[in-house]
Amino acid sequence: MPTPESEAFLAKKPTVPPTFDGVDYNDTPQLKAAQDAIIKEQWVKSMMARLVRDELGKCYRQEGVNHLEKCGKLRERYLLALKESKVRGYLFEQQNYIPGQQDPKGQDQVSAGLKQPEGQIATIPAEVAKRRRDDRL
């Protein structure tokens, strides 16, 4: 198994951030790299939740009746990890812009000039959607 510093590990590490910001939808390799990065990030979160769940189960078995006191930190950590642990895929993020999410630079996209009315989701431009439909046919 490769170590985190090995060349095999670095070769498999994604080179793009797990977001569609700045991705040219006509550049297929760039689009696929962004999709892969998003899926990998979701799987990492899912596996982290699994690891915390396993540790929580061990703590419950070891502590017995005192598990409420002794395993509280693990329980809270697991509940937080559950919110992000589902693998949702990339299609919704690829086709929709959600106001209020942060871009890779840490700026809030709404304050960066991409304003939308409160509670609405901006979709991709119609010509991009039409090109995608034409490409599928």
Side-chain angles (χ1 to χ4, degrees):
M1 180 163 176
T3 61
E5 296 85 18
S6 71
E7 293 177 19
F9 177 81
L10 294 175
K12 292 183 180 181
K13 188 175 180 181
T15 57
V16 295
T19 179
F20 286 106
D21 292 336
V23 172
D24 181 16
Y25 288 97
N26 292 327
D27 185 11
T28 304
Q30 185 182 16
L31 180 64
K32 291 297 179 186
Q35 290 172 349
D36 288 344
I38 288 173
I39 293 295
K40 285 180 183 179
E41 186 69 26
Q42 290 175 1
W43 270 104
V44 166
K45 289 179 183 178
S46 178
M47 293 299 115
M48 288 298 293
R50 180 185 289 181
L51 291 172
V52 173
R53 183 187 67 211
D54 292 344
E55 289 299 316
L56 183 61
K58 288 177 189 175
C59 182
Y60 277 179
R61 283 192 301 274
Q62 287 175 353
E63 299 300 330
V65 295
N66 294 327
H67 70 85
L68 291 174
E69 295 173 5
K70 306 286 183 174
C71 305
K73 289 182 182 178
L74 279 174
R75 184 177 57 244
E76 294 300 319
R77 189 170 166 197
Y78 181 59
L79 289 175
L80 290 176
L82 273 180
K83 293 178 184 176
E84 301 174 349
S85 68
K86 185 174 182 192
V87 177
R88 299 177 311 275
Y90 56 81
L91 203 53
F92 181 80
E93 294 177 35
Q94 182 176 338
Q95 293 179 349
N96 300 290
Y97 163 72
I98 303 173
Q101 285 188 342
Q102 289 190 349
D103 64 2
K105 299 171 192 159
Q107 277 185 327
D108 187 25
Q109 291 176 348
V110 174
S111 62
L114 304 172
K115 295 190 178 185
Q116 279 291 96
E118 189 65 32
Q120 289 187 1
I121 297 174
T123 59
I124 58 174
E127 63 271 1
V128 174
K130 185 177 185 302
R131 274 195 309 245
R132 285 191 191 151
R133 270 187 258 125
D134 294 341
D135 290 345
R136 289 183 196 147
L137 298 176

